[in-house]
Amino acid sequence: MEGIQPTETFPLIGTVENPALFSDGRDLFLSYEIAPAAGDGIAILRFSDVIHFEQNPINVEGLRDALFPTKPSDFTEVLGSDRTIEWKALEPRFWTISFNDVTVEVVFSKVHIVHETREIIRPPDALAGFLRRNVASDHPQR
């Protein structure tokens, strides 16, 4: 099993706030703090066609004991993992993403940034606001 830098480039991860996650059963939204060196603020990613995700309490010291390759405060694409074998017809990707006190693992088909702001706001508040403005309007009530 090998961990590589993904081809996508997203703002650097900050080291204070932990992320906020929301899944609608198919997609996963991840809101995270942007590092001061990258301009501060919040980035929100949308992972599409999510097969599996989990958030684990692993801090930087615990990364050396992690089951999958993971870099501190960074995105790592894991190659050769059993997490993607039974879904290989879908050509899934497996990433680990390390934050201050948690690591997120996600198996998905596509990822892109859906929102970025320089506003200083907590990741959960930014994600809730984004979902209210954007996702709720995509799904009118019956």
Side-chain angles (χ1 to χ4, degrees):
M1 197 169 15
E2 171 185 8
I4 63 169
Q5 188 70 37
T7 56
E8 296 86 353
T9 303
F10 298 118
L12 296 174
I13 296 171
T15 59
V16 176
E17 294 279 343
N18 282 315
L21 304 170
F22 174 79
S23 173
D24 65 4
R26 181 174 178 189
D27 295 340
L28 174 70
F29 293 87
L30 182 142
S31 174
Y32 71 92
E33 168 199 16
I34 298 172
D40 278 324
I42 296 291
I44 300 176
L45 306 181
R46 182 179 195 162
F47 292 86
S48 299
D49 301 321
V50 173
I51 296 167
H52 172 83
F53 77 93
E54 58 187 74
Q55 178 177 319
N56 297 306
I58 299 176
N59 62 18
V60 174
E61 290 89 32
L63 289 180
R64 67 180 153 269
D65 299 325
L67 294 175
F68 302 103
T70 306
K71 296 177 202 129
S73 301
D74 206 357
F75 301 89
T76 304
E77 184 156 3
V78 180
L79 305 176
S81 163
D82 60 351
R83 291 275 169 106
T84 58
I85 288 177
E86 65 183 273
W87 307 101
K88 66 182 171 184
L90 302 174
E91 298 181 16
R93 300 170 72 187
F94 175 32
W95 283 13
T96 60
I97 311 163
S98 170
F99 297 93
N100 189 38
D101 292 319
V102 299
T103 298
V104 174
E105 298 173 3
V106 60
V107 179
F108 64 98
S109 66
K110 297 179 209 154
V111 61
H112 63 281
I113 193 163
V114 292
H115 183 71
E116 184 175 345
T117 181
R118 296 296 164 219
E119 180 181 4
I120 305 299
I121 184 172
R122 294 182 56 243
D125 298 335
L127 183 56
F130 173 82
L131 292 171
R132 271 193 308 275
R133 287 186 309 274
N134 297 286
V135 177
S137 63
D138 291 347
H139 302 287
Q141 294 183 351
R142 297 178 197 204

